[in-house]
Amino acid sequence: AAGGQAVANGDDVADWAGAGRIVRSAIDAFGRLDVVVNNAGFVRDRMFVSTSEEEWDAVVRGHLKGHFCVSRHATAHWRDRAKAGDKLDARIINTSSGAGLQGSIGQSAYSAAKAGIAALTLVQAAELRRYGITANAIAPAARTRMTETVFAEMMAKPTEGFDAMAPENVAPLVVWLGSPESRDVTGRVFEIAGGKLNVADGWHTGVGIDKGARFAASELGPIVQDLLRKATPPQKVYGS
């Protein structure tokens, strides 16, 4: 209705050959590829002690391997274009989660996969910038098939006023990250929910001590306790 064109591909993002066909279908249909938005995923929520191997593998495969496969085929295409002399202005936009940034009770597989995606984004940004490719991630909170049941109360649509959990609230950030305006932004994770936008502040090397020699296990107790008193307290795990 807005005058755009689209093509659909039903391949599995976490299947190596299928991911290649997804990328190729875009190139064949439009003659070029400019932006990859990795957003596929699902949950198998369960407490860690009850999580099965099959559930763990499925969630990590869908989220983390899916991000890898599609991005890997896209970057191979872009690298070939760059080597051929094309001046690239390409984008990778990954989907992490607050669960991946600070953990979420009952979501160990999902949290681990989303944390992996955040770290993958940092490496992609560092390695791919020389080709003219940026990589950023979003950590959205919105009403989807993954959240509307598990977090039913928080995700419920209000009867009036601003619908903070509407997924449409996340779309403008994705559009901007895919635009030429964002070409100088890379290696960042943005948390977005409703009208709130934050730049995530990831792991940093915090307070420490350098003895200049090997520590003895017997002396570490007081040292660690002193460092923890000086350190910034971590954010709470969701649900704790």
Side-chain angles (χ1 to χ4, degrees):
Q5 292 181 326
V7 60
N9 181 295
D11 275 297
D12 180 355
V13 294
D15 176 79
W16 178 256
R21 289 191 293 269
I22 291 172
V23 170
R24 177 47 56 185
S25 66
I27 297 168
D28 289 345
F30 303 108
R32 60 183 294 122
L33 178 66
D34 298 293
V35 182
V36 167
V37 180
N38 290 305
N39 192 48
F42 59 90
V43 289
R44 295 289 184 269
D45 291 344
R46 203 174 299 279
M47 299 300 280
F48 179 73
V49 73
S50 301
T51 300
S52 70
E53 179 184 14
E54 292 75 20
E55 289 166 334
W56 179 276
D57 286 348
V59 172
V60 172
R61 178 185 182 275
H63 288 273
L64 187 54
K65 187 180 178 183
H67 273 58
F68 163 72
C69 289
V70 176
S71 297
R72 176 62 177 76
H73 283 288
T75 53
H77 166 72
W78 285 328
R79 183 183 58 184
D80 290 344
R81 281 180 51 194
K83 288 182 176 180
D86 290 353
K87 186 174 176 59
L88 291 182
D89 190 24
R91 306 281 182 270
I92 296 173
I93 304 168
N94 294 325
T95 304
S96 184
S97 168
L101 303 181
Q102 63 194 72
S104 179
I105 288 178
Q107 294 189 308
S108 58
Y110 178 74
S111 297
K114 289 303 190 183
I117 288 167
L120 173 64
T121 302
L122 303 182
V123 178
Q124 289 173 329
E127 292 184 355
L128 301 174
R129 190 166 197 166
R130 60 178 172 164
Y131 297 115
I133 306 166
T134 68
N136 294 285
I138 61 171
R143 186 186 312 109
T144 71
R145 284 174 292 177
M146 290 200 305
T147 62
E148 61 185 354
T149 300
V150 179
F151 306 106
E153 184 176 345
M154 182 174 69
M155 293 297 164
K157 188 173 183 177
T159 56
E160 59 181 8
F162 178 49
D163 183 4
M165 290 297 108
E168 291 87 349
N169 299 330
V170 178
L173 176 60
V174 179
V175 172
W176 186 84
L177 286 172
S179 76
E181 288 188 19
S182 70
R183 64 169 53 92
D184 295 323
V185 180
T186 193
R188 294 289 192 167
V189 180
F190 298 91
E191 295 182 88
I192 183 165
K196 298 178 182 179
L197 176 63
N198 298 83
V199 179
D201 190 10
W203 289 103
H204 294 276
T205 302
V207 296
I209 183 175
D210 183 357
K211 178 183 176 181
R214 183 183 303 120
F215 290 105
S218 59
E219 67 180 328
L220 281 172
I223 293 173
V224 171
Q225 291 301 325
D226 181 59
L227 291 177
L228 291 177
R229 280 192 294 270
K230 298 174 182 175
T232 301
Q235 285 185 242
K236 286 187 175 182
V237 171
Y238 283 109
S240 65

